[in-house]
Amino acid sequence: MHLRALTIQATDTERCQFPFTIPSIAPLHEMTLNQSVTLFVGENGTGKSTLLESVAVAAQSITVGMESVQTDAHMEPAKSLADALKLVWNKRTRTGFFLRAEDFIGYTRQIDWMRKDLEARLAEVTEEYKDREGLSASLAKLPLLKSLSELKQAHGDGLEHMSHGESFLSLFQSRVRPNGLYLLDEPETPLSPMKQLALLSMIVDWTKQGCQFIIATHSPILMAIPGAQIYNFDDPPIHSVAYDDLDHVNLMRDFLNRPEQFLRHLS
């Protein structure tokens, strides 16, 4: 455990402004984090992502697939909440990242552009130095070859050549390090059920290496992470809930058991 609690110390004026007026956040003064995995669960618009983003800002997390949390205009509500947020650490960690699934496709495109740009520049240098001595040509190519090698080491032959689910898991596995704090916003978005199980397995393995995860999710599969602390953002105040008592889980279970009961109204 790295982060063990968060508290909101807002003024009366702040409490009257968005995002402090979100029903789940309005009564929130303290949240304890007792497990290596904490899950934020609730319907759209209940404040899960806003609170997770504010933790990312307050923790000064690096980001994956987006600009800095400090400069992203979409993070303004989270920044105002982060200003009133106090993080209580067992031991401060600088390892980790913040990842929103919605930014992932943009990240793969950025990696693809970087690779193609480096390859184009390498071709230009090769053409420019084709009639010169070998050493000068090698020295000119060296930084480009090094950058291409680092991209390959980090992402293999290219995230852009994999399916979204495969590339997401590849990125996740390549970037996670022991003893880090990882903040994930709806990581199930690009993943099939089987890939969600693979992600669940990775998360469990990484917790054994000192990693802590806070995850906002709609996935009943990820909600089943063994030993996870689940916070329900529906029906404020935010409260801890057991897996089998989650509306998401019970609705999915009822649908899979009796789909005709749900679908008969569509005909």
Side-chain angles (χ1 to χ4, degrees):
M1 293 294 298
H2 303 285
L3 184 62
R4 62 183 175 89
L6 55 92
T7 62
I8 296 179
Q9 301 173 343
T11 65
D12 291 341
T13 300
E14 288 174 327
R15 289 282 182 183
C16 296
Q17 300 172 349
F18 186 83
F20 298 91
T21 53
I22 295 175
S24 64
I25 294 176
L28 180 63
H29 291 279
E30 183 176 17
M31 174 183 287
T32 57
L33 308 175
N34 298 322
Q35 302 296 331
S36 295
V37 179
T38 301
L39 303 173
F40 291 172
V41 175
E43 288 298 323
N44 294 328
T46 55
K48 306 184 307 297
S49 293
T50 300
L51 184 59
L52 186 68
E53 289 170 353
S54 72
V55 174
V57 173
Q60 299 178 332
S61 295
I62 63 170
T63 59
V64 176
M66 60 178 284
E67 60 183 298
S68 166
V69 291
Q70 303 296 334
T71 59
D72 186 350
H74 296 290
M75 299 281 284
E76 289 303 322
K79 291 179 196 175
S80 62
L81 181 56
D83 288 340
L85 196 65
K86 179 183 178 182
L87 304 183
V88 184
W89 301 90
N90 281 328
K91 184 178 181 181
R92 181 72 164 92
T93 178
R94 298 289 180 181
T95 304
F97 56 74
F98 169 56
L99 173 61
R100 296 188 304 199
E102 65 194 70
D103 297 309
F104 179 68
I105 294 176
Y107 180 75
T108 60
R109 290 174 178 168
Q110 180 185 14
I111 294 298
D112 185 32
W113 178 87
M114 290 172 59
R115 189 190 310 276
K116 289 178 178 177
D117 180 62
L118 288 167
E119 290 172 345
R121 288 162 58 192
L122 181 61
E124 292 173 359
V125 170
T126 300
E127 178 65 21
E128 180 182 352
Y129 282 82
K130 65 179 180 180
D131 297 325
R132 305 190 193 184
E133 295 181 3
L135 180 59
S136 61
S138 297
L139 290 174
K141 294 178 184 179
L142 185 60
L144 297 172
L145 290 170
K146 180 180 179 183
S147 295
L148 281 168
S149 176
E150 289 171 349
L151 273 182
K152 184 176 179 63
Q153 184 177 4
H155 306 298
D157 291 326
L159 295 176
E160 68 278 6
H161 300 309
M162 306 177 189
S163 70
H164 288 167
E166 291 171 333
S167 58
F168 184 93
L169 292 180
S170 176
L171 170 71
F172 183 80
Q173 196 163 28
S174 69
R175 294 290 293 269
V176 174
R177 297 292 181 269
N179 301 309
L181 173 65
Y182 298 93
L183 311 173
L184 311 179
D185 191 7
E186 299 184 14
E188 71 274 8
T189 301
L191 302 178
S192 69
M194 287 298 294
K195 292 293 191 292
Q196 290 180 40
L197 282 172
L199 177 61
L200 184 155
S201 178
M202 290 179 185
I203 289 171
V204 171
D205 286 344
W206 281 113
T207 60
K208 297 174 184 176
Q209 299 188 48
C211 293
Q212 181 180 3
F213 294 85
I214 305 176
I215 306 170
T217 182
H218 292 288
S219 167
I221 293 176
L222 294 185
M223 293 174 196
I225 293 173
Q229 182 178 25
I230 305 174
Y231 276 115
N232 188 0
F233 281 61
D234 295 327
D235 305 319
I238 298 169
H239 55 283
S240 184
V241 63
Y243 178 78
D244 287 329
D245 293 333
L246 286 167
D247 289 341
H248 288 71
V249 172
N250 290 318
L251 176 62
M252 183 62 69
R253 183 183 290 126
D254 290 344
F255 178 82
L256 293 176
N257 287 335
R258 300 186 305 277
E260 68 281 356
Q261 297 294 322
F262 292 84
L263 300 178
R264 64 182 180 180
H265 300 291
L266 300 180
S267 60

